[in-house]
Amino acid sequence: MKRALGAPAMDGQNRIAIVKLASHLGWADGTDLVVCVERGRVRVWPGVVSTPAELPSQYRAGRMTLPAAARARLDVGVGDMVFASTASNGELLLLSGADVAQAIDADAEPVPAPVSAPLPAAKRGGVKPAWRAPVASGG
């Protein structure tokens, strides 16, 4: 199954818009969802809660409500982005948008410009040294 991605913002009623992702997963409006809070992420799948470690939610009108424990794990509030991705097993994986952005930024550290040694002073009375392009400094 192809993976679908989204980064919806959480609204004032603790919901995220997942209409395209839910469609990709085949979830119909009114689907009961199971939310499982794990270290660093939240997993969601259709079904009914069966253990104390699982939390109930529902997919309704293109949105799903994030339970308090899921919001706390992701450390998100109103207006914060939540990174959502479908998994090949039919689950929805949720990560904090800030965590994803930080991971991306960490890989995009600017590379400093190479520093070249100064050219030796030219001796008088001889052939002038060849012209060299100036080295741009990073900034």
Side-chain angles (χ1 to χ4, degrees):
M1 176 186 296
K2 286 187 174 181
R3 185 168 285 223
L5 305 173
M10 193 169 69
D11 69 13
Q13 295 169 331
N14 303 319
R15 300 175 306 178
I16 58 171
I18 59 166
V19 66
K20 289 183 181 180
L21 298 168
S23 174
H24 182 79
L25 291 168
W27 297 354
D29 191 44
T31 298
D32 289 324
L33 300 175
V34 177
V35 178
C36 185
V37 176
E38 297 177 344
R39 184 176 179 191
R41 71 176 183 177
V42 174
R43 293 183 310 128
V44 182
W45 63 89
V48 179
V49 171
S50 61
T51 71
E54 299 171 346
L55 304 166
S57 187
Q58 192 174 60
Y59 173 67
R60 182 169 301 287
R63 295 177 175 84
M64 77 165 280
T65 302
L66 289 178
R71 294 191 310 271
R73 169 61 68 206
L74 299 175
D75 192 23
V76 294
V78 175
D80 289 341
M81 300 300 276
V82 176
F83 180 83
S85 174
T86 61
S88 59
N89 63 359
E91 293 180 349
L92 184 67
L93 302 176
L94 304 176
L95 300 165
S96 165
D99 289 345
V100 172
Q102 187 175 15
I104 292 169
D105 285 347
D107 291 339
E109 289 291 322
V111 178
V115 177
S116 61
L119 298 173
K123 295 182 182 180
R124 296 249 180 223
V127 177
K128 290 184 179 181
W131 179 86
R132 294 183 185 240
V135 176
S137 62

